[in-house]
Amino acid sequence: MTSALRYEWVRLTTVRSTWWLIGVSVIAQGVLALVLTLSGKSRDGSFAADAGALALSGGTGMVPLVFVFMGLIGVFATGHEYRYGTIRASLTAFPRRTDLWAAKALVVATVAAVVGVLLTAESLGIGLLVGGPSAEAVFTASPMGRVAAGYVVYLVVCALFGLALAGIARNVPAAVALLITVPVIIEGLVSVILGMDAFGSARSLSAYLPFTAGERMMAVTAETPLDGGPAPLRPLTGGLVFTAYGAALLALWGALFAKRDA
């Protein structure tokens, strides 16, 4: 197992796309934190808690950007192996597939967690620098610690989503398409359909869609939508639901990985 971890760590950190995606994530996070912090300041100098949470979490729920980059790290972590046929060499070196599967997941999760902590610190620094005293009071309040932790967990699960999708599809374009369309398009369509009168009894299920639930980890309010939609999940519940989706997808890939030919 140790050899598999070392192998996956070297492979992931020597792929250029990993560093490109980390670099783009840092830039995007900084720009979003700056814009959201400045836009969150009102004329009287006050600063909204919602704006602070958005700035700290890279605009997640508003701008589907940084978490997609983390998901792409997961996609490329195994998708490139199928694209170039190097998965055969990996399986030859590590015939115990469960070890290789676990090593891939652990390495991707570690990289995403480290990057998530750095991105959160970047947003906090920008928010304190340009937000003024009112923003400082918001960013240093107790809920923001939970928002920051939730954001890191969210990025880790997104990276594992990408890893599992690439492993299941064994095709980089297909995995990228799913990673982008599910949170941006498909979940929205499902929510609209469940909101129809014909699905009145199932309307509450839209709160349990994966990315909708996951975004609750970074929320600081729990207001029921004015359109009569389902009440949002509590942050802990949303995080558990989102993590359960990620674990199920990862387990499905693991089962397929152990049985399918390379």
Side-chain angles (χ1 to χ4, degrees):
M1 184 64 181
T2 304
S3 298
L5 285 169
R6 187 183 302 112
Y7 174 83
E8 286 299 322
W9 176 263
V10 171
R11 195 179 59 77
L12 184 61
T13 55
T14 53
V15 175
R16 283 182 295 179
S17 61
T18 301
W19 297 106
W20 277 107
L21 288 167
I22 291 174
V24 172
S25 297
V26 170
I27 295 172
Q29 182 88 9
V31 171
L32 289 168
L34 178 62
V35 171
L36 291 169
T37 299
L38 293 176
S39 63
K41 296 174 65 175
S42 61
R43 292 183 178 180
D44 61 2
S46 61
F47 188 76
D50 284 346
L54 274 174
L56 201 59
S57 61
T60 300
M62 179 184 293
V63 184
L65 198 60
V66 178
F67 74 84
V68 171
F69 295 149
M70 289 297 102
L72 289 176
I73 289 177
V75 169
F76 295 144
T78 193
H80 280 323
E81 287 193 290
Y82 287 104
R83 182 179 181 183
Y84 298 110
T86 56
I87 187 65
R88 296 182 182 88
S90 297
L91 291 174
T92 300
F94 303 99
R96 293 185 60 181
R97 297 192 176 200
T98 53
D99 284 357
L100 191 60
W101 168 80
K104 287 178 181 294
L106 287 172
V107 169
V108 168
T110 300
V111 170
V114 172
V115 173
V117 171
L118 293 176
L119 294 180
T120 304
E122 177 189 17
S123 290
L124 179 61
I126 292 173
L128 294 176
L129 184 63
V130 304
S134 57
E136 181 179 354
V138 169
F139 280 117
T140 56
S142 57
M144 290 303 156
R146 190 256 303 157
V147 170
Y151 184 49
V152 174
V153 173
Y154 188 79
L155 293 182
V156 169
V157 177
C158 284
L160 293 176
F161 258 100
L163 178 71
L165 288 172
I168 293 169
R170 300 199 288 188
N171 182 282
V172 171
V176 171
L178 286 171
L179 181 67
I180 295 174
T181 57
V182 169
V184 177
I185 299 174
I186 295 176
E187 280 199 15
L189 290 175
V190 173
S191 295
V192 170
I193 293 171
L194 291 176
M196 295 179 178
D197 293 337
F199 298 92
S201 59
R203 181 173 295 181
S204 61
L205 295 178
S206 62
Y208 292 86
L209 294 172
F211 290 91
T212 301
E215 290 169 5
R216 294 301 304 164
M217 289 189 288
M218 288 83 73
V220 291
T221 60
E223 297 179 358
T224 302
L226 298 177
D227 60 1
L233 300 178
R234 295 174 62 87
L236 178 59
T237 304
L240 291 174
V241 170
F242 186 55
T243 303
Y245 275 110
L249 198 62
L250 202 61
L252 174 60
W253 169 49
L256 294 173
F257 186 60
K259 294 180 179 179
R260 292 192 300 195
D261 293 335

